[in-house]
Each structure stands twice: as structure tokens, then as C-alpha cells.
Amino acid sequence: MEAAAKSNLKLVSLELGGKSPLIIFDDADVDLAAQLALKGAFDNKA
């Protein structure tokens, strides 16, 4: 099993559903919220 795992493992990225919903309140800095939403959507992608 160890030899098979060393030679056959593949790097994968799984999509397990849609994007996480965000709540942005009226008093928020909308430009900053948009930047952080974009960063959060892609930061965990390896």
C-alpha cells in the first residue's frame, strides 16, 4: 500500500458546494468588504 500511495497519489482540489454567503452591514466599508470577500474566496485554494 505504501508503494502504491507514493506512486499514485495526485494533488486535487475539491469543490464541495457554492461560495459562502456574506453579510455586509450598512455601515461597512464596501470597498474593503469586496476586497476581503475576493481574498477569502481564493486564499484557501492550494
Side-chain angles (χ1 to χ4, degrees):
M1 281 193 290
E2 183 178 344
K6 286 182 178 178
S7 65
N8 292 321
L9 285 182
K10 306 290 187 269
L11 293 176
V12 298
S13 176
L14 301 175
E15 174 62 37
L16 300 175
K19 298 291 181 201
S20 298
L22 299 172
I23 298 174
I24 301 173
F25 293 101
D26 289 338
D27 60 347
D29 179 345
V30 176
D31 291 329
L32 178 60
Q35 290 174 10
L36 293 175
L38 183 62
K39 181 175 172 44
F42 292 103
D43 269 4
N44 288 329
K45 175 76 174 99

